Amino acid sequence: MKMKHLFVATTALSLSALPVLAEPQAEVLHWWTSGGEAKSVAVLQEEFAERGGTWTDMPVAGGGGDAAMTALRARVLSGNAPTAVQLKGPAIQEWYEEGVLADISSVAEAQGWADVLPAQLAEHMKCDGTWCAAPVNVHRVNWIWANKDILDQNGIEMPTTWEEFNAAAEKLQAAGVTPLAHGGQAWQDATIFETVVLGKGADFYQSALVDLDPEALGSDTMVEVFDEMRTLRGYVDDNFSGRDWNLATAMVMNGEAAFQIMGDWAKGEFLAAGKTPGEDFLCGATPGDGYLYNVDSFAMFDVGGDDDKVAGQELLAELIVGPSFQETFNLNKGSIPVRSDVSLDAFDICAQTSAEDMAADAEAGSLLPSYAHGMALRGEPAGAITDVVTAHFNSDMSSQDAVQMLTEAVANAM
């Protein structure tokens, strides 16, 4: 009996000495709440669970991510940061400078990210040379979406210049059709604005909305941009104020409006509703040369050495950039894979066009970060520009006054 008790005790001690394997856990803060977006993030949740992870979802709707950032700030200040957060562009580096991001270089190096991610996009994911975020996709911002039936019924081709767009809109208005579906939210105003700026040339966009060159901001060309914004304002219905972007997409989908100017997350809504590009809806780049990109990514926050949460971060980073997730997620989201080695055979014509244009614009030097979606500028100057754009769009302010206000606002924000 004594030997038996000794054996049991020895076995118990041996088992207790074995290393305890971490159970991956992740509380994930994001703003993917619309139909196509929710379907996309569910793919990541499913893959995380299949690998033994426990996912706690923290979706925060509204404001193109603004509400989510407010929630994040509160969590960080309380010393209880989420495990992973949807972040992008310079905001990643801003949080890094506050000392609250985790280093995920071990995963990036083990998975060979540097070999499969476009160099220009990969730089957004690094902080002082270390990997601090995992890229999910590439969205093209400068798209026009159209209801094919409405265009066919009115004998209209997809516009390739702003003059053609304006002519089509005038024709549609005369026929009693709302030309442009739009939601009256600041970031949606900014989205249209940056596509109009891009229409003046990639070099002008770079100077005005990336370099913040005072000469470009105060130029006659910028006056022309605001002139076109005023024209576009006349093509929007009276009930646009406060409308969410996906509801504007639904207007095009349901035949209540002809066009929407929006990134290719709008395509995710069409696809989620069972619509087919080329048959039910059309896609085309906004007028002008250049490719405005918006890269969704997740940054991992410092979790104080919690083994389960660290394991969750490492698993998330591995899955997010993995080939399987890159294909499945982006097929649902409307975007294209950020990895250069993922086949596009399963993707629709809009996505294939996006990938071809991105490669061509990268070579031509016209692959440009979206200011409206947080890829080009830090918060203060970006907010200053958007405030002016929205003030102009929602008033009778002249283009000359808007340009003067713009130059002053950016100067004060620097």
Side-chain angles (χ1 to χ4, degrees):
M1 290 294 291
K2 289 181 180 180
M3 290 296 293
K4 182 177 179 181
H5 286 311
L6 179 62
F7 173 77
V8 172
T10 303
T11 302
L13 286 170
S14 299
L15 288 173
S16 65
L18 291 175
V20 178
L21 295 178
E23 298 179 0
Q25 295 181 4
E27 182 185 18
V28 184
L29 189 155
H30 62 91
W31 59 88
W32 286 330
T33 57
S34 73
E37 293 174 325
K39 186 175 181 181
S40 301
V41 77
V43 173
L44 184 55
Q45 292 184 46
E46 184 178 337
E47 287 202 9
F48 193 72
E50 288 174 354
R51 292 283 296 272
T54 300
W55 175 296
T56 301
D57 205 34
M58 189 180 174
V60 181
D66 291 343
M69 292 303 96
T70 300
L72 172 61
R73 174 68 59 183
R75 289 286 301 272
V76 172
L77 289 174
S78 69
N80 182 31
T83 318
V85 179
Q86 185 182 352
L87 283 181
K88 56 188 177 182
I92 297 170
Q93 285 71 39
E94 288 181 297
W95 282 105
Y96 170 77
E97 289 163 7
E98 294 194 26
V100 294
L101 293 192
D103 184 352
I104 55 172
S105 295
S106 60
V107 179
E109 291 164 5
Q111 300 296 317
W113 290 4
D115 298 326
V116 295
L117 301 181
Q120 182 173 338
L121 305 186
E123 283 305 308
H124 289 285
M125 307 299 133
K126 295 179 181 177
C127 300
D128 284 342
T130 65
W131 294 87
C132 50
V136 179
N137 57 3
V138 182
H139 277 299
R140 185 179 196 166
V141 176
N142 55 313
W143 280 113
I144 299 176
W145 307 95
N147 181 295
K148 185 177 185 300
D149 285 345
I150 290 178
L151 265 57
D152 288 347
Q153 289 166 12
N154 290 276
I156 294 172
E157 299 288 333
M158 280 292 282
T160 58
T161 67
W162 286 114
E163 290 76 17
E164 289 179 2
F165 184 93
N166 296 344
E170 297 289 346
K171 187 174 184 179
L172 289 163
Q173 271 188 330
V177 177
T178 298
L180 181 60
H182 179 61
Q185 297 172 333
W187 72 269
Q188 295 190 58
D189 298 340
T191 298
I192 294 181
F193 174 75
E194 71 175 357
T195 67
V196 178
V197 173
L198 182 66
K200 298 299 181 180
D203 289 343
F204 180 71
Y205 181 96
Q206 175 73 34
S207 296
L209 298 185
V210 180
D211 299 336
L212 300 179
D213 176 45
E215 186 175 334
L217 291 170
S219 65
D220 290 342
T221 302
M222 189 60 78
V223 173
E224 295 172 0
V225 169
F226 279 102
D227 285 344
E228 178 61 24
M229 290 295 291
R230 173 65 65 234
T231 299
L232 294 173
R233 172 64 180 83
Y235 302 143
V236 175
D237 69 295
D238 293 336
N239 299 317
F240 76 101
S241 182
R243 177 186 293 139
D244 288 335
W245 69 269
N246 53 313
L247 299 181
T249 304
M251 290 175 65
V252 177
M253 199 183 306
N254 299 331
E256 299 169 33
F259 297 111
Q260 182 186 22
I261 298 168
M262 185 54 62
D264 50 21
W265 48 92
K267 188 186 67 176
E269 297 297 296
F270 283 106
L271 298 179
K275 305 297 183 181
T276 303
E279 296 179 12
D280 303 306
F281 67 97
L282 301 174
C283 60
T286 57
D289 296 325
Y291 187 111
L292 295 184
Y293 66 82
N294 173 25
V295 179
D296 286 315
S297 54
F298 280 95
M300 308 304 168
F301 277 64
D302 186 355
V303 291
D306 184 312
D307 289 343
D308 291 343
K309 291 181 178 179
V310 170
Q313 291 175 333
E314 292 176 347
L315 178 57
L316 268 179
E318 177 189 338
L319 291 174
I320 285 169
V321 189
S324 172
F325 174 73
Q326 285 278 315
E327 178 177 9
T328 306
F329 176 90
N330 287 293
L331 282 170
N332 286 320
K333 188 70 163 59
S335 44
I336 60 174
V338 68
R339 292 181 67 112
S340 59
D341 60 347
V342 175
S343 171
L344 296 177
D345 290 347
F347 286 76
D348 59 67
I349 186 62
C350 300
Q352 292 176 9
T353 298
S354 180
E356 291 168 5
D357 289 351
M358 184 176 75
D361 282 299
E363 188 171 339
S366 48
L367 183 61
L368 297 161
S370 164
Y371 118 78
H373 295 275
M375 296 302 301
L377 303 171
R378 295 205 173 199
E380 197 165 346
I385 295 171
T386 299
D387 287 346
V388 175
V389 170
T390 297
H392 173 267
F393 198 76
N394 290 283
S395 71
D396 294 327
M397 184 189 302
S398 71
S399 298
Q400 288 79 8
D401 287 346
V403 167
Q404 182 177 347
M405 183 183 290
L406 181 67
T407 55
E408 292 173 355
V410 171
N412 291 333
M414 298 292 283

